[in-house]
């Protein structure tokens, strides 16, 4: 497995609130490098054990594959790690400090964290903007204004070059 291609941070676009009850997590790996990708997650302060969920391939580029999963816990406070299984069926655990052996016993200690999802964290799409035509008008392009502040390299309108 190409460990240098693996990338995840607990911030947009790799971790974001889909709605007030759902956290979407992504991870980047080298293209065609994995057999399976799993995420283990739970409430950040809970005593319960981790929930295992398979991550699904959502996109591939020339160099990378992207896996994604939607998570949900009762209080919207998340702690999670990844299990990556390469083409040789070797299992790797990825936490906030890097790769660990698959038998790593303190997976709670160095997990990725997403502190909390509040309603303000959720992107509310404005439907009217999808169909709107927006014009950006820059008045300084039409009139040079105060001539003493213009650079010497500006030519007069309709001047031959």
């Amino acid at each position: 497995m190409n460990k240098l291609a693996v990338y995840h941070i607990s911030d947009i676009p790799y971790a974001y609130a889909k709605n007030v009850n759902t956290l979407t997590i992504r991870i980047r790996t080298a293209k065609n490098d994995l057999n399976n990708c799993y995420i283990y997650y739970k409430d950040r302060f809970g005593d319960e054990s981790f929930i295992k969920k398979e991550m699904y391939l959502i996109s591939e580029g020339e160099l990378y594959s992207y896996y994604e999963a939607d998570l949900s816990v009762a209080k919207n406070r998340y702690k999670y790690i990844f299990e990556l299984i390469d083409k040789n069926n070797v299992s790797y655990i990825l936490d906030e400090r890097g790769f660990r052996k698959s038998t790593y016993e303190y997976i709670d200690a160095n997990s990725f964290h997403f502190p909390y999802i509040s309603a303000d964290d959720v992107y509310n799409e404005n439907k009217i903007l999808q169909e709107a035509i927006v014009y950006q008008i820059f008045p300084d392009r039409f009139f040079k204004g105060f001539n003493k502040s213009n650079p010497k390299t500006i030519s007069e309108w309709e001047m031959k070059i």
Side-chain angles (χ1 to χ4, degrees):
M1 182 172 71
N2 181 358
K3 292 180 182 178
L4 295 174
V6 177
Y7 184 71
H8 175 78
I9 56 172
S10 296
D11 202 359
I12 296 170
Y14 291 93
Y16 62 92
K18 191 173 203 174
N19 57 49
V20 292
N21 296 314
T22 308
L23 178 66
T24 300
I25 300 290
R26 285 187 187 145
I27 187 169
R28 183 191 79 187
T29 65
K31 185 176 181 178
N32 299 323
D33 210 19
L34 299 180
N35 278 342
N36 296 94
C37 183
Y38 297 100
I39 187 165
Y40 293 80
Y41 69 98
K42 68 176 189 171
D43 183 299
R44 190 173 168 195
F45 300 109
D47 291 333
E48 71 276 1
S49 59
F50 280 88
I51 301 166
K52 181 179 181 179
K53 186 170 188 176
E54 185 172 4
M55 299 184 75
Y56 295 98
L57 181 66
I58 58 155
S59 180
E60 279 190 320
E62 186 178 333
L63 300 173
Y64 302 114
S65 295
Y66 295 88
Y67 292 85
E68 184 176 278
D70 291 335
L71 315 179
S72 186
V73 294
K75 295 186 179 179
N76 291 327
R77 307 171 304 188
Y78 296 87
K79 176 186 280 194
Y80 58 93
I81 60 165
F82 300 96
E83 180 184 16
L84 309 174
I85 301 172
D86 68 8
K87 294 293 185 181
N88 298 320
N89 286 322
V90 176
S91 178
Y92 299 90
I93 298 295
L94 177 68
D95 63 19
E96 200 164 42
R97 295 195 178 201
F99 288 96
R100 308 279 182 216
K101 296 178 183 176
S102 62
T103 57
Y104 185 62
E105 57 190 274
Y106 301 109
I107 60 174
D108 238 1
N110 299 312
S111 303
F112 289 99
H113 294 269
F114 196 89
Y116 182 72
I117 297 176
S118 73
D120 292 336
D121 293 329
V122 180
Y123 173 70
N124 293 316
E125 183 178 26
N126 193 339
K127 299 287 184 191
I128 196 168
L129 292 179
Q130 288 185 348
E131 299 173 7
I133 297 173
V134 178
Y135 294 97
Q136 293 182 344
I137 299 172
F138 302 98
D140 62 320
R141 303 297 193 271
F142 299 110
F143 183 72
K144 292 193 311 182
F146 187 59
N147 289 334
K148 290 185 179 182
S149 64
N150 289 338
K152 302 287 184 211
T153 57
I154 293 180
S155 302
E156 296 296 324
W157 286 102
E158 298 181 10
M159 186 175 180
K160 292 185 180 185
I161 299 176

